[in-house]
Amino acid sequence: MVLGMMLFVLVLISTNTYRKGLVELSDEGVIRLELFVTYLRGVLTKYESLPELLARDEQLAEFLLNAEGNESSVALNKYLETINDISNAADTYLMDREGLTIAASNWQEEHPFVGRNFSYRPYFQQAMKGQLGRYFALGTTSSKRGYYFAYPVRRDREILGAVVIKINIDTVENKWGYHDETFLVTDPDGVIFITTRPEWRFASLERLNSSTRELIEKSKRYPNSDISALPITNVKDYQFGSVINLQGENGKSQIYLQQTHRMQEAGWSVHVLTSVKQLRRKIFEVNILLGSCLVFLYLLLVLFKQRQLRLI
């Protein structure tokens, strides 16, 4: 009876300590998550309005309407190159209504975009519908991770083509100063494309179904990437996050508190994974200390009863 009560008290205090510890970890995780999301939003906001501003430039519409000579093409390429240098974007280019790139800031590089057709990209398709196109993908030419903004170029409400700004996403990881923390950014399909754990890049949080894989292949979002799911097992969901078990390459599993923030404007999900290893160690230490105290009290109680029996 007494031992049962002691075990009950031990389990109750351990459970409460664990829950309180998770809440404290979640509070810290929320702060880190908000900092990272603010940083990402700052990167995107810097370039979001630039395609629309460029699309209002009459010389872009004029160039799309009139196929002029090589001299005009060179001048437009140089103009886009200047814009790209000033904005510090990865690439800036102009596409006609068929998706063919007719001018680009990288026109003098080894693999220029000029003459390449990117009509299969969702950002172009969105722009041709009169919307601001947004999309993340690996560049089919550069193989670098990029986020694309595209905006329609019009003349008298007629859409003639689209101007595109590409941001180099590689710099996001390099410039993020908190490399000791575990962050993941996933696309709408749950594929990881930004992470402080390079070995997880282009893996998915869940197994992708065949239709999703087909759409990814059609848009050439991750060419030559073998997308496999991370070995994650969900342990328990809480209001503030989920405790997950992630199997490591060495066969050892790690327990994390996963918290997620949805960036609606970009279609991204930002995740922070906080290890609960220290918390579990704390619970173990609490159990040892509390168990020792309970055993000590139990022995005192036994000795006290034995003393009373001797005195009778």
Side-chain angles (χ1 to χ4, degrees):
M1 178 68 178
V2 176
L3 290 175
M5 288 295 294
M6 290 171 59
L7 182 60
F8 174 77
V9 171
L10 191 63
V11 171
L12 181 63
I13 293 178
S14 297
T15 302
N16 289 338
T17 303
Y18 182 68
R19 176 64 182 253
K20 183 180 178 181
L22 284 178
V23 171
E24 292 175 354
L25 288 179
S26 72
D27 290 341
E28 297 171 2
V30 166
I31 295 173
R32 297 198 302 271
L33 194 57
E34 288 178 350
L35 283 173
F36 193 52
V37 169
T38 300
Y39 167 67
L40 289 174
R41 281 197 173 123
V43 173
L44 297 183
T45 302
K46 178 182 177 181
Y47 297 95
E48 184 176 20
S49 59
L50 185 55
E52 183 176 358
L53 292 174
L54 285 175
R56 295 177 181 177
D57 191 328
E58 280 298 315
Q59 64 178 314
L60 298 188
E62 193 65 33
F63 190 83
L64 287 167
L65 281 171
N66 303 296
E68 299 182 12
N70 183 60
E71 183 177 339
S72 177
S73 299
V74 171
L76 184 57
N77 283 324
K78 288 182 177 180
Y79 173 67
L80 294 181
E81 185 178 12
T82 301
I83 294 295
N84 197 74
D85 290 341
I86 293 173
S87 65
N88 199 30
D91 296 294
T92 303
Y93 48 105
L94 181 67
M95 305 165 70
D96 66 15
R97 70 183 75 202
E98 304 300 325
L100 181 68
T101 305
I102 58 175
S105 60
N106 62 1
W107 63 293
Q108 294 191 96
E109 295 182 10
E110 185 178 356
H111 300 290
F113 291 170
V114 178
R116 296 182 63 88
N117 192 300
F118 299 114
S119 60
Y120 55 85
R121 290 294 204 189
Y123 63 78
F124 171 75
Q125 297 164 11
Q126 293 164 7
M128 293 308 291
K129 293 177 182 177
Q131 306 167 1
L132 172 64
R134 316 171 67 116
Y135 193 67
F136 169 83
L138 280 177
T140 54
T141 302
S142 65
S143 296
K144 292 182 179 180
R145 291 171 293 170
Y147 192 77
Y148 301 81
F149 287 107
Y151 201 82
V153 178
R154 295 183 175 92
R155 172 67 65 85
D156 298 328
R157 296 186 178 182
E158 180 186 0
I159 296 178
L160 307 175
V163 61
V164 185
I165 297 290
K166 178 186 176 182
I167 308 170
N168 188 352
I169 292 297
D170 290 353
T171 59
V172 171
E173 289 176 350
N174 297 333
K175 291 182 179 180
W176 179 245
Y178 301 88
H179 296 293
D180 57 332
E181 298 175 346
T182 303
F183 285 97
L184 313 173
V185 183
T186 56
D187 68 10
D189 299 317
V191 179
I192 301 166
F193 62 91
I194 298 177
T195 174
T196 52
R197 299 282 294 270
E199 67 272 19
W200 293 353
R201 193 176 297 145
F202 307 129
S204 60
L205 293 181
E206 297 179 356
R207 189 178 299 277
L208 303 181
N209 57 44
S210 57
S211 59
T212 300
R213 286 185 177 276
E214 185 177 344
L215 288 174
I216 290 175
E217 291 174 4
K218 184 177 180 181
S219 65
K220 300 181 182 179
R221 191 171 209 164
Y222 304 109
N224 304 319
S225 295
D226 182 21
I227 302 173
S228 57
L230 289 178
I232 293 176
T233 303
N234 196 66
V235 177
K236 189 172 182 179
D237 293 323
Y238 295 91
Q239 186 176 0
F240 48 78
S242 299
V243 176
I244 62 172
N245 186 328
L246 197 151
Q247 193 77 20
E249 292 182 358
N250 56 5
K252 296 181 179 179
S253 61
Q254 297 186 44
I255 307 297
Y256 293 97
L257 173 64
Q258 178 183 341
Q259 295 169 275
T260 302
H261 184 101
R262 176 75 173 166
M263 291 180 62
Q264 295 289 350
E265 65 276 21
W268 297 352
S269 292
V270 185
H271 315 265
V272 58
L273 301 185
T274 306
S275 175
V276 300
K277 184 178 181 179
Q278 294 297 327
L279 176 58
R280 291 164 67 89
R281 181 177 298 173
K282 179 181 177 181
I283 299 299
F284 177 75
E285 292 173 352
V286 168
N287 285 341
I288 293 295
L289 179 61
L290 182 60
S292 299
C293 291
L294 290 175
V295 170
F296 179 72
L297 290 174
Y298 175 73
L299 292 175
L300 282 180
L301 180 62
V302 171
L303 289 173
F304 178 74
K305 286 189 173 182
Q306 287 180 348
R307 179 179 176 82
Q308 282 186 323
L309 289 173
R310 291 197 189 108
L311 293 175
I312 294 176

